[in-house]
């Protein structure tokens, strides 16, 4: 593979390759597709958080004119109705009981949506209510009813050393990490600090709700889905419906936002089962309220205890992260694993003892959401850091600089050493915030910092194909899903650079698992790094073929060949790719095919993690002491991206992540009362709008070309979400003296805290 | 609602004429039909996106006589006699509108689901106010949510398009 010191396409502000489609309304999302013979699906959902399903009578619904099929548990007896990539704990439709409000109990396929909707009201279900485990406190109470006595084993994609389901205790996974001796560490500490933080449930709000179309016929199963992990969906459908992978085709049109909410398998098994029964294609287009009860981020309670020397040296840490994983495991076990590392943090601390538990409750299943387990743990960790600094009388910036890991330092045994320059990163953020000048600020105004470092969970497995067509244009076949992050543009840039062709020559289409080669998934900030490596390898394979062919045609030695601007050059002789192909195949057709694999130990290190993803943040806030409202004068985000393949897209990712973080910091919270969701709609659940744009919004990209991906790139786009909450919370504390340990920092909560402080 | 499904003989249809993306249309709609469904399902203009269904997110924004409306909560028959513009009607003869160009150039879009509504709302703004301040843009665009970009690059896209449009209208 060519070593590059100068680039023609990589590192440039290339225009988004699908930009024109998206600004003209041509871009098709799953909800925009119509398949011949397609019916509309609607789902009858449980109104109870926990109940036995005693009987389901579909007689009246089936008789309604226009209804083609009504699916219930009676229709899944000939298949494996359970799914789950970590634990196969989730039936595609309720069997003996329901475990959360919104769980599918019956599904209707009808000629139109109104008919299907009306049929739902004719489905008669008798329930027998069961005790509700509304929170993890309920679930962890000794003697609490067991939510999952019937798990069907492990899923194929948990990628954990072992799943530690403590099923008899409602704990779906228990992650434990420890090193050193915390007892000795605390004994040697001068001060010990202990805090408890709360993090709310939050919802992704992908503007396109979950949607899928399914068709089942003699060719097998075909699914069009707004999903980010089509190859995982394929594997799970194959298992459920007992089909070979080759008979399960998953197609992914444009995806209207994902952020983790469309990771792994969601509604696809249900839609396939409904289409199978109907004998016709069926579309299920969920509403936003339905999608709010399909997946969410884990709420958490984080207990953290740290022993420190008088001079500010960290010595020992104990922590326990309780995560509410809802009714089904989904990605909960992996979220628990990341939460554990993330509460350890990027600081030198030899003695630690950390537990993270994903706990079942009777609420909407929680899964992946941009930086899994990160915002929960780092909200606690970075707030705790400031609390300790204040109590020790040390400047929070100095306290962090004293303890932060340097490049090459061990984070934890067996893991990749720190691969970023956190000290200089943090100093850059502090300079932007005018940290030194901030000491002189008046009450009600302040700045705060936070360091977010996460172990990327990127699994290093991707494959790609690059095809050079007879006219010199290039087709890139890669299973990365374009969810808005710009992966198509970035991968086309990588291929074009390697092949020495203009970016416009390269086209990447959406995933069709029947033709697109395997990719683990789109998520975990892995596409540029891992798929990018596979794409570059495929392009390099093609490049080598071009050199060989060119050498033959130009009668030169391969080492004399140079590829430039679509031409093969040997000294003064040159031939264009098109002509070379025609000569090679002896006709104006033919094509060259390059293939690239990325796997642990083959193109990518087997050591975990592939890289440490960094997302530092600084907030400058103004607090209205009369109303409790927090205004952002400035937010500074910093991401170490290794090499920005497309710098403006990197900025856009970081800004978008930060804004989502600002949302869960200031107002986002999905609220439940005894298992009943209180605000599952966009009126009562507010997300950030234009007015939340900080007056000054800076993004700093650090590029040392030292990542494991193509040209030294490393993943980004997730960790920008973790810093806003602690940075803003810390700024609030410095501005007002009020420390709040529970998100979101709503005006009411801030106002009450201010009142309580002044009344003391 | 659930019991409200009408028998075929009881259904009512209202004839309406209106303009859609510059073309005259004459159709029959039922009283309950929403503009978004008529635009998407009958005319196939799927650039108008459905999301929140409650007039909060702006994804379904279309322009009616130049004013942004949420087509998810706008009854189709009310389009009678009006001029409706969807995103498909914005580019003229294959040439993108300056707002469309600016959104691509300045990273004002990611997943693209909010983009049609965002661009149409911005068009309405710039027709009313050719040189809006940052605060005026923020105020006007409050009804359009984007979950991807963090808004900064959308703001910059609108500012850039405003500049281009001003230059075009002054003949520079």
């Amino acid at each position: 593979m060519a070593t590059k010191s100068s680039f023609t396409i990589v590192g440039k502000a290339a225009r988004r390759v699908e930009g024109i489609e998206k600004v003209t309304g041509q871009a098709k999302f799953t909800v925009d597709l119509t398949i011949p013979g397609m019916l509309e699906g609607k789902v009858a959902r449980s109104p109870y958080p926990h109940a036995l399903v005693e009987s389901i009578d579909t007689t009246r619904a089936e008789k309604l004119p226009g209804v083609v099929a009504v699916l219930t548990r009676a229709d899944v007896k000939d298949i494996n109705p359970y799914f789950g990539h970590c634990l196969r704990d989730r039936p595609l439709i309720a069997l003996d009981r329901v475990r959360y409000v919104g769980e599918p109990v019956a599904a209707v396929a009808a000629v139109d949506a109104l008919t299907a909707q009306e049929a739902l009201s004719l489905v008669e279900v008798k329930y027998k209510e069961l005790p509700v485990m509304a929170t993890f406190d309920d679930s962890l109470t000794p003697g609490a009813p067991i939510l999952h006595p019937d798990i069907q084993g492990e899923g194929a994609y948990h990628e954990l050393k072992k799943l530690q389901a403590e099923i008899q205790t409602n704990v779906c996974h228990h992650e434990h990490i420890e090193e050193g001796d915390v007892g000795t560490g605390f004994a040697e500490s001068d001060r010990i600090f202990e805090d408890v933080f709360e993090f709310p449930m939050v919802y992704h709000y992908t503007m396109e709700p979950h949607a899928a179309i399914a068709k089942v016929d003699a060719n097998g199963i075909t699914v069009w889905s707004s999903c980010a992990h089509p190859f995982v969906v394929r594997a799970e459908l194959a298992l459920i419906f007992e089909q070979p992978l080759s008979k399960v085709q998953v197609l992914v049109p444009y995806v209207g936002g994902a952020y983790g909410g469309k990771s792994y398998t969601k509604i696809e098994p249900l839609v396939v089962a409904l289409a199978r029964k109907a004998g016709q294609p069926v579309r299920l287009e969920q509403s936003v309220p339905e999608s709010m009860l399909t997946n969410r981020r884990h709420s958490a309670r984080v207990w953290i205890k740290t022993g420190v020397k008088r001079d500010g040296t960290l010595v020992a840490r104990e922590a326990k992260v309780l995560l509410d994983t809802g009714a089904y495991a989904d990605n909960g076990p992996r979220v628990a694993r990341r939460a554990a590392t993330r509460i350890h943090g990027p600081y030198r601390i030899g003695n630690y003892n950390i537990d993270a538990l994903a706990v079942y409750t009777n609420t909407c299943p929680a899964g992946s959401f941009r930086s899994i387990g990160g915002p929960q743990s780092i909200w606690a960790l970075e707030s705790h850091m400031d609390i300790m600094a204040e109590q020790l009388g040390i400047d929070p910036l100095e306290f962090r600089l004293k303890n932060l890991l340097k490049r090459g330092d061990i984070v934890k045994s067996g893991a990749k050493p720190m691969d970023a320059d956190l000290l200089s990163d943090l100093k850059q953020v502090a300079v932007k915030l005018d940290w030194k000048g901030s000491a002189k600020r008046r009450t009600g105004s302040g700045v705060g910092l936070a360091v977010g470092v996460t172990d990327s969970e990127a699994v290093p497995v991707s494959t790609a194909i690059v095809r050079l067509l007879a006219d010199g244009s290039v087709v890139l076949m890669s299973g990365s899903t374009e969810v808005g992050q710009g992966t198509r543009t970035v991968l086309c840039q990588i291929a074009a650079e390697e092949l020495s062709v203009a970016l416009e020559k390269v086209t990447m289409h959406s995933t069709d698992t029947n033709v697109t080669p395997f990719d683990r998934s789109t998520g975990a900030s892995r596409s540029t790094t891992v798929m990018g490596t596979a794409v570059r390898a495929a392009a390099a394979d093609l490049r080598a073929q071009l050199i060989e062919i060119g050498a033959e045609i130009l009668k030169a030695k391969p080492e004399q060949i140079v590829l430039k601007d679509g031409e093969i050059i040997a000294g003064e002789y040159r031939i264009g790719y098109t002509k070379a192909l025609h000569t090679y195949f002896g006709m104006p057709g033919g094509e060259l095919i390059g293939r690239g694999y990325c796997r642990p130990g083959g193109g990518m290190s087997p050591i975990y993690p592939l890289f440490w993803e960094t997302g530092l943040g600084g907030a400058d806030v103004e607090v209205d002491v009369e109303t409790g409202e927090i205004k952002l004068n400035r937010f500074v985000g910093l991401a170490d991206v290794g090499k920005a393949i497309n710098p403006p897209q990197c900025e856009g990712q970081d800004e978008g992540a930060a804004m989502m973080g600002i949302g869960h910091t200031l107002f986002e919270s999905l609220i439940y009362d005894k298992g009943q969701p209180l605000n599952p709609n966009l009126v009562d659940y507010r997300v950030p709008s234009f007015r939340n744009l900080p007056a000054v919004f800076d993004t700093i990209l650090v590029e040392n070309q030292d990542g494991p991906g193509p040209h030294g790139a490393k993943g980004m786009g997730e960790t920008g979400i973790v810093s806003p909450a602690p940075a803003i919370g810390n700024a609030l504390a410095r501005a007002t003296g009020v420390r709040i340990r529970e998100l979101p920092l709503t005006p009411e909560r801030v106002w009450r805290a201010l009142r309580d402080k002044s009344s003391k | 609602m659930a019991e409200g499904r009408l028998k075929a003989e009881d259904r009512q249809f209202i004839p309406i004429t209106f303009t859609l993306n510059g073309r005259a249309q004459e159709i029959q709609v039922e009283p309950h039909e929403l503009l978004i469904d008529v635009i998407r399902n009958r005319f196939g203009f799927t650039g108008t996106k459905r999301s929140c269904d409650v007039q909060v997110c702006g994804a379904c924004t279309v322009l009616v006589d130049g004013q942004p409306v949420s087509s998810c909560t706008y009854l189709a028959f009310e389009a009678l006699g009006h001029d409706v513009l969807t995103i498909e009607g914005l580019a003229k003869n294959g040439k993108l509108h300056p707002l469309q160009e600016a959104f691509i150039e300045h990273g004002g879009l990611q997943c693209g689901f909010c983009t049609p509504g965002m661009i149409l709302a911005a068009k309405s703004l710039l027709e009313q106010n050719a040189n809006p301040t940052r605060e005026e843009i923020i105020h006007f665009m409050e009804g359009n949510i984007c979950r991807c970009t963090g808004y900064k690059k959308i703001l910059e896209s609108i500012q850039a398009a405003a500049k281009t449009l001003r230059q075009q209208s002054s003949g520079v």
Side-chain angles (χ1 to χ4, degrees):
Chain A
M1 214 173 287
T3 313
K4 286 271 188 177
S5 52
S6 64
F7 300 100
T8 53
I9 298 161
V10 156
K12 307 286 190 261
R15 281 161 70 103
R16 184 174 277 269
V17 295
E18 82 281 14
I20 292 175
E21 275 179 89
K22 286 182 172 175
V23 298
T24 53
Q26 293 169 24
K28 295 290 182 212
F29 298 77
T30 299
V31 292
D32 300 330
L33 302 182
T34 307
I35 307 304
M38 184 177 86
L39 303 170
E40 296 290 344
K42 291 280 176 189
V43 181
R45 296 173 183 278
S46 169
Y48 297 109
H50 196 196
L52 291 175
V53 182
E54 295 201 313
S55 67
I56 307 174
D57 185 349
T58 60
T59 319
R60 288 175 64 209
E62 280 167 11
K63 283 184 182 154
L64 186 74
V67 170
V68 177
V70 183
L71 180 87
T72 68
R73 59 191 179 185
D75 302 302
V76 296
K77 289 179 176 160
D78 60 328
I79 53 175
N80 305 315
Y82 287 89
F83 70 102
H85 65 282
C86 284
L87 286 166
R88 295 184 55 226
D89 61 352
R90 184 172 188 176
L92 65 91
I93 196 147
L95 300 177
D96 63 317
R97 60 163 127 178
V98 289
R99 294 181 176 87
Y100 68 100
V101 171
E103 180 156 12
V105 177
V108 174
V111 291
D112 58 43
L114 274 181
T115 305
Q117 186 70 40
E118 184 176 357
L120 295 185
S121 67
L122 303 175
V123 176
E124 290 163 24
V125 186
K126 284 208 178 72
Y127 296 95
K128 185 181 175 198
E129 288 188 69
L130 293 169
V132 175
M133 279 161 287
T135 65
F136 41 56
D137 293 320
D138 295 343
S139 300
L140 294 173
T141 302
I146 304 307
L147 264 175
H148 284 280
D150 50 359
I151 289 177
Q152 306 295 303
E154 292 185 1
Y157 280 80
H158 61 74
E159 289 143 357
L160 299 166
K161 281 206 182 71
K162 60 173 181 174
L163 273 175
Q164 298 175 37
E166 297 173 7
I167 298 310
Q168 296 317 308
T169 61
N170 287 322
V171 173
C172 124
H173 183 66
H174 182 167
E175 186 75 21
H176 176 79
I177 55 172
E178 66 169 279
E179 225 166 317
D181 180 347
V182 286
T184 309
F186 283 124
E188 288 171 357
S189 300
D190 295 317
R191 299 279 301 272
I192 293 172
F193 298 93
E194 203 175 330
D195 280 298
V196 179
F197 296 88
E198 302 272 352
F199 192 96
M201 292 182 190
V202 288
Y203 169 57
H204 312 79
Y205 184 45
T206 60
M207 292 193 71
E208 179 200 27
H210 298 89
I213 302 168
K215 178 164 78 91
V216 181
D217 58 23
N219 286 323
I221 294 168
T222 308
V223 178
W224 294 259
S225 181
S226 181
C227 72
H229 296 186
F231 295 90
V232 176
V233 171
R234 180 180 67 170
E236 292 221 70
L237 290 176
L239 193 62
I240 294 167
F241 295 95
E242 295 172 339
Q243 293 283 322
L245 292 176
S246 57
K247 293 281 187 194
V248 181
Q249 181 185 20
V250 181
L251 301 108
V252 188
Y254 284 115
V255 174
Y259 325 115
K262 293 170 180 171
S263 295
Y264 302 102
T265 306
K266 294 286 181 283
I267 64 172
E268 297 87 356
L270 176 62
V271 189
V272 172
L274 184 57
R276 188 179 77 128
K277 181 162 191 201
Q280 280 177 253
V282 176
R283 168 167 71 182
L284 176 59
E285 180 184 353
Q286 291 202 151
S287 65
V288 167
E290 284 180 296
S291 276
M292 289 184 89
L293 300 180
T294 298
N295 204 227
R296 60 169 174 84
R297 192 194 282 281
H298 291 73
S299 52
R301 182 182 303 148
V302 183
W303 169 78
I304 181 168
K305 178 179 165 187
T306 307
V308 199
K309 292 277 194 196
R310 198 162 290 112
D311 68 356
T313 307
L314 300 176
V315 184
R317 155 123 348 115
E318 269 189 290
K320 188 169 188 177
V321 184
L322 289 179
L323 296 153
D324 180 341
T325 206
Y328 296 101
D330 195 303
N331 209 30
R334 295 164 62 94
V335 174
R337 179 177 179 195
R338 306 310 159 201
T341 310
R342 290 162 191 193
I343 193 73
H344 171 273
Y347 300 105
R348 219 172 299 106
I349 183 160
N351 308 296
Y352 60 86
N353 193 336
I354 294 167
D355 293 283
L357 282 72
V359 184
Y360 287 123
T361 65
N362 290 120
T363 60
C364 166
S368 298
F369 192 151
R370 208 169 200 163
S371 186
I372 59 173
Q376 299 95 324
S377 281
I378 293 166
W379 151 244
L381 171 65
E382 286 296 289
S383 299
H384 182 63
M385 286 296 286
D386 258 44
I387 293 169
M388 292 192 289
E390 193 196 334
Q391 294 284 318
L392 291 164
I394 304 175
D395 178 86
L397 171 63
E398 295 305 322
F399 182 48
R400 286 183 174 82
L401 292 174
K402 184 177 180 62
N403 289 289
L404 272 173
L405 294 168
K406 297 190 174 72
R407 182 181 285 272
D409 283 354
I410 300 299
V411 187
K412 57 177 191 174
S413 291
K416 182 175 193 176
M418 182 47 57
D419 59 358
D421 300 314
L422 299 174
L423 284 87
S424 69
D425 293 347
L426 184 59
K427 285 177 194 162
Q428 283 195 62
V429 174
V431 167
K432 278 270 185 200
L433 281 183
D434 185 23
W435 183 264
K436 278 187 188 149
S438 71
K440 297 189 290 279
R441 287 190 176 217
R442 63 189 165 73
T443 305
S445 145
V447 296
L449 289 166
V451 179
V453 176
T454 61
D455 45 339
S456 165
E457 59 144 11
V459 179
V461 181
S462 291
T463 62
I465 292 171
V466 179
R467 299 159 57 192
L468 178 65
L469 306 187
D471 64 352
S473 61
V474 176
V475 174
L476 166 58
M477 297 166 73
S478 147
S480 290
T481 307
E482 179 56 65
V483 294
Q485 82 283 48
T487 193
R488 235 180 246 191
T489 308
V490 162
L491 296 175
C492 287
Q493 283 180 268
I494 291 167
E497 184 77 49
E498 194 68 29
L499 289 172
S500 305
V501 297
L503 180 60
E504 296 70 39
K505 291 272 187 193
V506 185
T507 303
M508 176 175 153
H509 295 289
S510 58
T511 296
D512 170 350
T513 59
N514 272 6
V515 293
T516 313
F518 180 85
D519 180 35
R520 161 62 171 74
S521 52
T522 297
S525 300
R526 67 184 289 287
S527 293
T528 299
T529 304
V530 181
M531 179 56 85
T533 296
V535 167
R536 193 177 177 205
D541 181 15
L542 188 55
R543 187 183 174 89
Q545 296 175 44
L546 277 167
I547 289 172
E548 196 181 318
I549 290 167
E552 192 183 312
I553 296 170
L554 299 175
K555 301 190 173 30
K557 290 191 176 116
E559 51 272 23
Q560 297 172 309
I561 300 280
V562 175
L563 302 186
K564 191 164 185 284
D565 300 332
E567 287 189 316
I568 307 168
I569 304 167
E572 61 205 62
Y573 300 100
R574 58 183 60 207
I575 184 170
Y577 292 175
T578 309
K579 200 157 176 218
L581 248 75
H582 294 183
T583 309
Y584 184 68
F585 287 101
M587 66 168 289
E591 67 178 72
L592 298 180
I593 302 170
R595 62 149 219 215
Y597 298 160
C598 183
R599 62 190 182 85
M604 203 53 71
S605 162
I607 296 170
Y608 174 88
L610 283 185
F611 52 88
W612 291 93
E613 189 176 341
T614 57
L616 286 74
D620 179 337
V621 307
E622 195 82 31
V623 185
D624 184 333
V625 294
E626 301 290 320
T627 65
E629 189 187 9
I630 297 173
K631 280 207 182 102
L632 281 170
N633 295 325
R634 179 174 216 139
F635 189 83
V636 184
L638 179 145
D640 178 346
V641 302
K643 169 72 185 171
I645 306 291
N646 188 319
Q649 284 192 180
C650 290
E651 289 167 11
Q653 277 291 291
D654 216 46
E655 287 159 10
M659 185 56 85
M660 272 189 163
I662 289 168
H664 69 229
T665 304
L666 297 181
F667 38 78
E668 285 187 47
S669 174
L670 183 59
I671 302 165
Y672 271 83
D673 182 27
K674 299 182 185 72
Q676 289 290 343
L678 298 187
N679 58 344
N681 63 73
L682 257 239
V683 173
D684 299 313
Y685 182 99
R686 191 163 94 69
V687 297
S689 60
F690 266 94
R691 84 175 106 122
N692 299 110
L693 186 60
V696 183
F697 198 0
D698 302 303
T699 301
I700 304 168
L701 301 177
V702 175
E703 298 185 68
N704 296 318
Q705 282 193 245
D706 56 350
H711 312 295
K714 55 182 155 181
M716 61 92 53
E718 292 204 328
T719 306
I721 201 171
V722 304
S723 296
I728 292 169
N730 290 339
L732 170 70
R734 284 160 57 85
T736 63
V738 161
R739 170 63 61 178
I740 300 179
R741 291 173 172 78
E742 184 176 1
L743 291 177
L745 305 175
T746 58
E748 180 183 342
R749 190 167 272 149
V750 173
W751 180 83
R752 285 181 189 281
L754 288 166
R755 183 197 58 181
D756 293 349
K757 177 181 164 250
S758 63
S759 67
K760 267 174 197 162
Chain B
M1 172 94 182
E3 300 298 321
R5 186 170 176 274
L6 294 171
K7 291 195 173 70
E9 60 270 27
D10 293 332
R11 290 169 76 180
Q12 290 179 24
F13 292 90
I14 306 167
I16 60 166
T17 55
F18 67 112
T19 308
L20 181 58
N21 295 336
R23 290 180 185 278
Q25 299 291 352
E26 191 174 327
I27 57 167
Q28 305 242 342
V29 297
E30 293 188 77
H32 66 264
E33 275 188 88
L34 298 169
L35 185 58
I36 187 173
D37 293 320
V38 169
I39 289 170
R40 285 178 58 85
N41 302 339
R42 284 210 224 174
F43 294 98
F45 290 138
T46 56
T48 304
K49 300 301 182 198
R50 160 171 271 128
S51 184
C52 75
D53 284 320
V54 287
Q55 214 177 336
V56 168
C57 75
C60 66
T61 301
V62 299
L63 299 186
V64 175
D65 300 336
Q67 295 292 330
V69 305
S70 294
S71 62
C72 73
T73 45
Y74 188 100
L75 291 167
F77 74 80
E78 292 192 277
L80 172 68
H82 292 295
D83 185 356
V84 178
L85 181 75
T86 74
I87 192 68
E88 288 88 350
L90 192 55
K92 292 278 180 265
N93 306 319
K95 189 171 164 14
L96 297 183
H97 185 276
L99 272 162
Q100 293 172 310
E101 284 286 352
F103 269 66
I104 300 175
E105 193 62 36
H106 296 272
L109 68 100
Q110 289 186 23
C111 84
F113 208 76
C114 75
T115 310
M118 198 67 81
I119 287 175
L120 289 173
K123 177 176 190 284
S124 181
L125 164 66
L126 298 185
E127 275 167 10
Q128 294 169 42
N129 182 351
N131 193 7
T133 62
R134 184 181 187 276
E135 283 61 41
E136 285 169 338
I137 296 173
I138 286 172
H139 180 73
F140 193 92
M141 299 300 294
E142 177 65 17
N144 288 78
I145 289 172
C146 169
R147 194 60 157 160
C148 292
T149 63
Y151 299 105
K152 183 183 174 186
K153 292 193 188 302
I154 297 181
L155 184 86
E156 290 167 354
S157 302
I158 295 172
Q159 287 170 330
K163 194 174 168 192
T164 305
L165 284 162
R166 286 198 304 275
Q167 285 167 351
Q168 283 179 3
S169 66
S170 66
V172 175

